[in-house]
Amino acid sequence: KKIFVSTNSKKQVNRLELAIKTKLPDVKLIAITSDNSSSKEVTKFVGDIKTEAKKYDLVISSPSLGTGIDITFSEDEEFYDSVYGIYEALINGHTEIDQQLARVRHPKSVKVWVSPRRFNFETHFDVIKADLLCSSVIANTAVDLAMPVADQVFAENSDFFRTAALILSSQRESKNRLRKNFIEYKQAQGWIPNFVSVPDDQALGSEVLHLGKILEEQVYAERLLTSKPLSEIEFLRMEDALQDEERLTADEFLSYQRMKLEIFYCHQVDLQMITDDKRWKFRKQFSAYNRLLDHKSISEYQDRTRFLPTDRLRKNLSVLPDEQAAPYLLRGILASTPIFFENEVVTGVEFTSSDLKNFTRICLKLKGIIERQFDINIRTDIETKPAMQLGVFLGLIGLKTLKPRTEKTPSGGKTYFYRIDPETVQRMTDLIALEEQRKNPWDAINARYGFKTAQNWG
């Protein structure tokens, strides 16, 4: 069979390619993403699709195969037995998905999976304008390189902003209900959807995706481990290039990321470091944890907002992301629970869902602000499962909870007891202790790899 797979996730393309090559080594396939779009093989494929496509059993493509590409064969030949679409949420809208699927003309069948995830992104005009003003391109165009203030957000009514805001509003409405919008869009075009129940081979599909994920992480780790270490001057050159939005080669970028890991963790890169880091996720969590405990920045934010009217402050925080506000807000939320006392994380105390009533009340009261500042959704079942919502907040700062025990209730149910996992707190504490080494990491790196010191560059 001849198969074409369209997906909006580069990661999905990589995982499918690795898994299928492992499970079905005889299948001739080509995978196309932004990473290899300029390679000789992909350039040749795109340059003569009608001929090149017939050399492959399977084509897997991300959106990098542009919307201008028309995969049509002579005399409207139905070359592909199936076109599969696999689309994650929060990447593109339902009309863009339709365009991706339409690149292949006259397939024998089209089978699509669209994420059923639903969101509540704000689509109000003032909020959209605020987002546009705060993005660097729009801000530089519209407000003379200066970041906007609240009065500008609510006063600016140019045609430029109206058009941009309408476009962004439409995109958000699409992503809020991606699957539903896609189905209704196709029905309006005259298509009749055939909803498929859980297939018998679902377990096989899950196995393939799981294998692809494992293989992708292995390949990434191996490439990092074998990447070239950089001297300080090479590292700074690449850092400057990235800040100037210049493009590094894949090998250069891997070397740069290797040194970023070694600078942060203060020792030579190894497999455990790469696994625990989770592609920068943990470093972001550590930064958020540090900011939560930074009394100076919290005090500066309090001073900055001390004389602002409460209504105006709440409106601004519902509309504008504020990096200084986030740790202050998170501290207030956690302070409503038993696990944060006198501005410190408490590891020894146990709590139940009934101890989180004040936490639940605050989350519901500040729902709009929380979702804007942290880019998370407040759970619809927060009142019955507050511990799960608390876990979302703790995940922002790299912490977890444990369930050390349960107790039966008189009605025959169970009461679950929770506490902070002390190992996650200790890990953060250990990393904070390395702060002085991070300020001057190059002495250790120079000794590790035999590089010249800065004084000997010339």
Side-chain angles (χ1 to χ4, degrees):
K1 287 190 174 183
K2 302 295 184 181
I3 305 294
F4 190 101
V5 178
S6 172
T7 176
N8 59 0
S9 169
K10 180 170 68 174
K11 186 177 292 186
Q12 198 78 270
V13 174
N14 294 334
R15 290 175 178 176
L16 285 170
E17 179 188 18
L18 290 167
I20 292 171
K21 282 183 175 179
T22 301
K23 298 280 286 187
L24 301 169
D26 294 331
V27 170
K28 188 165 180 58
L29 70 84
I30 182 171
I32 303 169
T33 70
S34 57
D35 289 341
N36 68 358
S37 58
S38 58
S39 69
K40 186 179 294 185
E41 182 184 30
V42 173
T43 301
K44 185 177 180 182
F45 178 88
V46 174
D48 187 10
I49 287 181
K50 292 180 182 179
T51 302
E52 293 298 313
K54 297 194 173 185
K55 297 179 181 179
Y56 299 95
D57 303 307
L58 172 63
V59 177
I60 312 172
S61 172
S62 74
S64 61
L65 195 62
T67 54
I69 299 296
D70 182 10
I71 305 176
T72 306
F73 299 93
S74 300
E75 299 180 359
D76 295 338
E77 177 187 359
E78 295 181 347
F79 175 72
Y80 283 108
D81 294 282
S82 287
V83 170
Y84 288 87
I86 306 172
Y87 300 106
E88 301 288 351
L90 300 180
I91 299 175
N92 49 14
H94 63 282
T95 57
E96 294 166 302
I97 288 175
D98 186 56
Q99 288 176 352
Q100 278 187 249
L101 286 170
R103 292 173 194 167
V104 179
R105 311 289 184 181
H106 312 295
K108 294 177 183 176
S109 67
V110 179
K111 302 174 183 180
V112 186
W113 179 88
V114 180
S115 173
R117 293 177 65 193
R118 298 162 70 95
F119 302 91
N120 294 296
F121 295 121
E122 181 61 70
T123 58
H124 191 275
F125 187 72
D126 282 340
V127 179
I128 301 297
K129 285 199 301 179
D131 285 344
L132 291 172
L133 280 162
C134 289
S135 66
S136 58
V137 173
I138 304 298
N140 291 347
T141 303
V143 289
D144 285 333
L145 304 178
M147 286 303 292
V149 296
D151 290 342
Q152 287 174 301
V153 172
F154 298 109
E156 179 58 61
N157 285 306
S158 70
D159 291 340
F160 172 76
F161 275 105
R162 285 184 178 280
T163 303
L166 286 171
I167 292 171
L168 185 54
S169 178
S170 176
Q171 290 175 342
R172 288 187 177 182
E173 287 177 358
S174 176
K175 293 175 183 179
N176 277 344
R177 304 289 184 271
L178 183 65
R179 185 174 185 271
K180 179 176 181 291
N181 288 332
F182 176 74
I183 292 170
E184 291 178 351
Y185 183 72
K186 296 306 293 182
Q187 288 174 324
Q189 293 177 334
W191 291 76
I192 300 174
N194 177 25
F195 297 99
V196 180
S197 59
V198 177
D200 296 334
D201 57 357
Q202 183 185 33
L204 176 60
S206 299
E207 178 189 343
V208 168
L209 289 176
H210 181 65
L211 174 61
K213 181 178 180 180
I214 292 173
L215 291 172
E216 183 199 28
E217 294 302 326
Q218 288 178 350
V219 169
Y220 174 72
E222 288 169 5
R223 292 186 68 189
L224 268 183
L225 289 169
T226 57
S227 63
K228 173 190 169 186
L230 301 176
S231 66
E232 183 176 3
I233 191 169
E234 291 173 312
F235 177 84
L236 293 176
R237 177 184 64 79
M238 291 186 188
E239 195 159 63
D240 288 342
L242 288 171
Q243 289 176 353
D244 292 338
E245 298 185 357
E246 295 177 17
R247 193 167 183 175
L248 302 180
T249 68
D251 288 341
E252 286 176 331
F253 189 70
L254 282 165
S255 291
Y256 175 78
Q257 290 304 328
R258 171 186 179 140
M259 303 316 294
K260 292 283 284 187
L261 280 167
E262 295 198 10
I263 289 170
F264 179 79
Y265 291 103
C266 299
H267 67 83
Q268 186 170 348
V269 67
D270 57 34
L271 183 58
Q272 190 63 53
M273 178 196 298
I274 297 169
T275 302
D276 292 344
D277 188 69
K278 297 177 182 177
R279 299 205 190 196
W280 317 290
K281 180 179 178 180
F282 181 75
R283 279 174 277 172
K284 292 177 182 177
Q285 292 170 327
F286 175 76
S287 175
Y289 182 86
N290 250 343
R291 292 168 61 209
L292 175 72
L293 303 183
D294 185 352
H295 306 306
K296 182 180 178 182
S297 64
I298 295 288
S299 296
E300 288 175 351
Y301 177 75
Q302 288 175 312
D303 291 340
R304 180 165 69 87
T305 58
R306 189 181 306 278
F307 301 107
L308 282 178
T310 301
D311 289 346
R312 180 177 176 183
L313 181 60
R314 287 174 64 92
K315 185 175 183 180
N316 288 356
L317 291 177
S318 298
V319 173
L320 297 170
D322 187 332
E323 287 194 3
Q324 276 192 305
Y328 178 75
L329 180 60
L330 183 57
R331 181 180 285 196
I333 293 167
L334 295 181
S336 68
T337 74
I339 54 94
F340 197 79
F341 182 69
E342 292 186 349
N343 301 324
E344 297 293 339
V345 177
V346 181
T347 57
V349 64
E350 289 186 349
F351 63 94
T352 67
S353 292
S354 62
D355 297 315
L356 299 177
K357 291 180 180 178
N358 194 34
F359 164 78
T360 300
R361 180 184 61 80
I362 289 175
C363 287
L364 292 173
K365 182 179 180 181
L366 302 178
K367 182 178 183 295
I369 293 174
I370 289 171
E371 292 182 340
R372 186 71 188 101
Q373 297 301 319
F374 297 112
D375 198 22
I376 62 174
N377 284 338
I378 296 298
R379 297 174 61 95
T380 56
D381 58 358
I382 184 174
E383 293 180 291
T384 57
K385 298 179 180 178
M388 295 187 72
Q389 184 68 65
L390 177 58
V392 174
F393 285 107
L394 293 176
L396 297 174
I397 54 174
L399 303 185
K400 297 179 181 179
T401 56
L402 300 173
K403 283 195 288 189
R405 63 189 180 93
T406 60
E407 286 184 1
K408 288 186 177 180
T409 64
S411 61
K414 290 182 179 180
T415 298
Y416 294 94
F417 289 80
Y418 304 87
R419 64 183 175 88
I420 292 290
D421 183 348
E423 290 187 8
T424 58
V425 177
Q426 187 59 51
R427 188 182 183 198
M428 294 296 183
T429 303
D430 293 342
L431 285 170
I432 289 173
L434 298 175
E435 194 59 40
E436 286 302 315
Q437 293 185 50
R438 287 193 199 97
K439 291 178 181 178
N440 185 24
W442 290 102
D443 288 343
I445 292 173
N446 290 338
R448 186 179 302 148
Y449 297 112
F451 293 141
K452 294 179 179 181
T453 63
Q455 289 82 1
N456 296 325
W457 285 346

